[in-house]
Amino acid sequence: MTTPPAPRCLCVSNIRLAAVLTAVGLAREFVRQTLRLWQLADQIDSAELVVSELVTNAVKSTGVAEPNATGSMAKAQHIIGVQLRLVGASLYVEVWDRGDGSPVIPEQTLDAEGGRGLFLVACVSERWGIHRPGVGGKTVWSELPLPDPGRHGREAGEGRERADMALVQRVLEGLRQVPAAELVG
């Protein structure tokens, strides 16, 4: 279990949602609106991916069991929290739920119908982890690196290309961990 760093925050925004399937879309909209406000539109895609996967896991862990559940069916134990923190050169995406389980990245196989969410989070994140706050439950967090704010114009485009290549490299490294026998179709 790890705890994200807690240095002075430049920006923080959070929202509480009923742990139902519609929470995933609402969390993505929260990310889009917040990052636009913070003038970090370039980070929306990665942050949306991370929040989608983490909120989906939180809903599965502590959500209302009804398949067509609505927010009005949620009780206190069916609430999740989503928080964005801008700290230094990193954006932290954090999702809290009341569950006590520990998410793990399952073995990746080509024929798996699910189980790739945390794998994707790990691929796009600088780091990720689980924190157990004193109030109970768990917070699953992801650190997304931000581009150097001092870069402009052509240099910023080059930085984006390097970031894209770094993401592709992390995905490829993750795929290399899949046994070769499973990659041959």
Side-chain angles (χ1 to χ4, degrees):
M1 177 172 62
T2 58
T3 303
R8 193 174 115 216
C9 296
L10 301 175
C11 298
V12 176
S13 186
N14 57 58
I15 189 171
R16 289 189 180 110
L17 300 167
V20 294
L21 291 178
T22 56
V24 178
L26 293 171
R28 283 194 301 261
E29 183 61 27
F30 167 72
V31 165
R32 281 191 296 273
Q33 295 299 321
T34 303
L35 295 184
R36 283 187 189 119
L37 179 68
W38 292 352
Q39 299 180 354
L40 292 172
D42 289 350
Q43 302 304 309
I44 290 174
D45 290 342
S46 296
E48 272 188 314
L49 170 71
V50 169
V51 84
S52 293
E53 298 303 337
L54 297 185
V55 168
T56 297
N57 287 349
V59 169
K60 287 179 182 177
S61 175
T62 63
V64 178
E66 303 289 323
N68 296 318
T70 62
S72 63
M73 300 171 79
K75 308 235 182 304
Q77 68 268 24
H78 302 126
I79 301 298
I80 61 174
V82 178
Q83 179 167 275
L84 299 176
R85 287 189 305 133
L86 180 60
V87 181
S90 295
L91 172 67
Y92 291 87
V93 178
E94 303 164 337
V95 176
W96 175 86
D97 67 59
R98 293 187 188 273
D100 56 3
S102 292
V104 295
I105 300 174
E107 182 180 333
Q108 301 299 300
T109 63
L110 292 178
D111 59 346
E113 293 182 15
R116 290 185 172 81
L118 282 177
F119 175 74
L120 292 172
V121 169
C123 288
V124 300
S125 302
E126 185 76 23
R127 334 180 266 147
W128 72 279
I130 306 160
H131 172 67
R132 304 267 180 207
V135 298
K138 67 179 173 296
T139 301
V140 182
W141 59 272
S142 165
E143 177 184 357
L144 301 172
L146 298 176
D148 181 358
R151 294 184 176 224
H152 299 287
R154 183 172 163 232
E155 290 178 355
E158 291 171 358
R160 175 68 184 203
E161 288 176 19
R162 283 195 300 275
D164 289 346
M165 289 304 297
L167 171 61
V168 169
Q169 185 62 37
R170 286 196 297 264
V171 171
L172 288 173
E173 287 171 6
L175 289 173
R176 287 186 186 114
Q177 295 174 8
V178 176
E182 295 178 15
L183 292 176
V184 179

